[in-house]
Amino acid sequence: MKSGHMISRRGFCLCCMGTATFAATGGWMSPREAYAEARGLVSLIKDSAAQAKIVTHRLRDNVSILEGSGGNVAVLSGRDGLVMVDAGISVSRHQMTKALSAISPQPVTHLINTHWHFDHSDGNPWIGAGGAEIIAHENTRKYLSQVKRVEDWDYNFLPLVQTGLPGRVFSKEHSVKLNGQSLTLKHYRSAHTDGDISVMFAEADVLHTGDTYWNGIYPFIDYSTGGGIDGMIAASDANLAASTDKTIIIPGHGNPVSNRAELQEFRDMLVAIRENVATLKRQGRSKNETVAAKPTAAFDLKWGNFVIDPGFFTRLVYEGV
Ligand SMILES: [Zn+2]
């Protein structure tokens, strides 16, 4: 699949801005330089999301996925009202509302944020203003409450308005029964950020992994808010332990309906590239020399076609080994 197609189909996310420019210019710019080259990209991302079609994937037991506004959004319907996992980007509000009401006329009563990133929480204010209780890890509320700088993007994110902030937070685990489903929210510790949580729908046997899993594409790792490659691998192990061959797995990004075999492949890719990069770093190679040695080469054909390209992913891994 061509990356251009995937970009338009999946929508942009902030994780991707620098490398999109990187790919377009074909140069070895750092994400910071790339971002400086293209300050207008935030509005481009929003414009793209505003026009993106929301695709609904119905899974089982009233669990669906909405694809097309930032990260993959899970929706659980039933008598308790709509329960959303992640909020998408606010410019998609109209499309999102249409997709939600096609599932059920009920209002959104609960919104769970898998982590603080814009492409998963930008819709919080309109959903919160509608009366939904917002649930997240305590670090997610912390980051959404303050000006947060992401160094890799040379970008300062402003705090959300009060209605968009999680009203219920937890540190390790939180369980709640809604619409006949036992939901278990579990903190991963440091993974893609240090506020990531998984959401397990027990009876439906559906696991939303947030951005600890990107299906078929190299993931972003946000070191500026506590993420790291070793935590990503540990999170993959936790996701594997929490699932069976029958579990439907929803990744934060990439093809939204996934399974344990694909997750295993993602985990093995992370481990192999981590080892390759660590070996080069131990030999004293600089970051640029490590990128030039192409430690991801065996995986690029399958995983390198989205916006976190091989060079950028190598830099992210290098940072954490
Ligand atoms: Zn993210």
Side-chain angles (χ1 to χ4, degrees):
M1 197 179 288
K2 288 265 161 54
S3 64
H5 173 71
M6 287 190 71
I7 289 166
S8 59
R9 185 158 159 247
R10 310 266 182 237
F12 285 95
C13 72
L14 278 181
C15 307
C16 314
M17 293 188 302
T19 41
T21 313
F22 180 87
T25 57
W28 286 114
M29 286 190 292
S30 73
R32 176 195 289 258
E33 290 163 341
Y35 184 71
E37 284 287 308
R39 269 199 187 277
L41 267 175
V42 171
S43 47
L44 190 68
I45 290 160
K46 293 192 173 180
D47 290 350
S48 163
Q51 284 159 21
K53 205 169 162 277
I54 303 286
V55 179
T56 302
H57 305 260
R58 294 193 184 253
L59 305 181
R60 56 193 177 209
D61 287 15
N62 295 327
V63 181
S64 302
I65 303 171
L66 303 184
E67 178 192 12
S69 177
N72 293 319
V73 172
V75 182
L76 169 68
S77 60
R79 288 202 300 197
D80 298 323
L82 293 174
V83 179
M84 294 176 73
V85 180
D86 284 342
I89 301 172
S90 61
V91 288
S92 310
R93 176 179 180 167
H94 178 67
Q95 297 267 22
M96 194 71 100
T97 306
K98 255 185 17 193
L100 289 169
S101 50
I103 293 172
S104 159
Q106 297 264 70
V108 179
T109 54
H110 297 78
L111 166 62
I112 298 162
N113 287 138
T114 59
H115 62 298
W116 75 278
H117 283 157
F118 163 88
D119 50 322
H120 303 255
S121 66
D122 189 60
N124 276 24
W126 74 263
I127 297 167
E133 177 179 56
I134 304 177
I135 307 168
H137 186 263
E138 57 193 11
N139 289 343
T140 295
R141 179 163 71 185
K142 184 177 77 183
Y143 298 136
L144 290 176
S145 305
Q146 56 188 226
V147 178
K148 197 68 211 104
R149 179 167 181 76
V150 175
E151 203 60 48
D152 270 331
W153 305 113
D154 190 19
Y155 193 86
N156 296 314
F157 293 90
L158 297 178
L160 286 185
V161 296
Q162 190 67 32
T163 49
L165 293 176
R168 180 181 293 271
V169 295
F170 64 95
S171 60
K172 286 199 172 77
E173 191 171 320
H174 177 72
S175 297
V176 58
K177 186 125 188 170
L178 290 165
N179 295 327
Q181 288 289 324
S182 308
L183 274 64
T184 305
L185 287 53
K186 262 195 193 152
H187 185 223
Y188 289 104
R189 295 206 239 174
S190 163
H192 167 76
T193 68
D194 62 11
D196 305 291
I197 58 167
S198 60
V199 181
M200 184 75 197
F201 301 84
E203 290 79 2
D205 196 10
V206 173
L207 175 68
H208 195 311
T209 64
D211 276 3
T212 66
Y213 172 35
W214 295 39
N215 187 14
I217 48 183
Y218 289 136
F220 181 60
I221 304 171
D222 185 358
Y223 287 87
S224 73
T225 52
I229 178 63
D230 288 344
M232 285 292 281
I233 292 169
S236 296
D237 289 335
N239 290 333
L240 287 167
S243 58
T244 70
D245 290 343
K246 295 192 177 65
T247 308
I248 295 177
I249 301 176
I250 307 174
H253 295 277
N255 206 350
V257 186
S258 188
N259 56 51
R260 198 170 188 278
E262 290 176 342
L263 171 65
Q264 179 76 54
E265 217 183 318
F266 175 77
R267 186 259 181 208
D268 294 345
M269 175 276 293
L270 292 182
V271 170
I273 291 177
R274 188 221 179 274
E275 283 322 297
N276 292 348
V277 172
T279 301
L280 292 163
K281 194 170 179 178
R282 265 199 307 273
Q283 292 168 357
R285 310 250 191 144
S286 70
K287 198 180 268 191
N288 285 341
E289 287 164 351
T290 301
V291 170
K294 300 190 190 305
T296 64
F299 298 92
D300 290 347
L301 196 62
K302 177 177 166 79
W303 302 88
N305 299 308
F306 197 49
V307 279
I308 306 297
D309 70 10
F312 189 40
F313 186 58
T314 301
R315 290 166 189 274
L316 290 171
V317 174
Y318 188 93
E319 192 78 26
V321 296

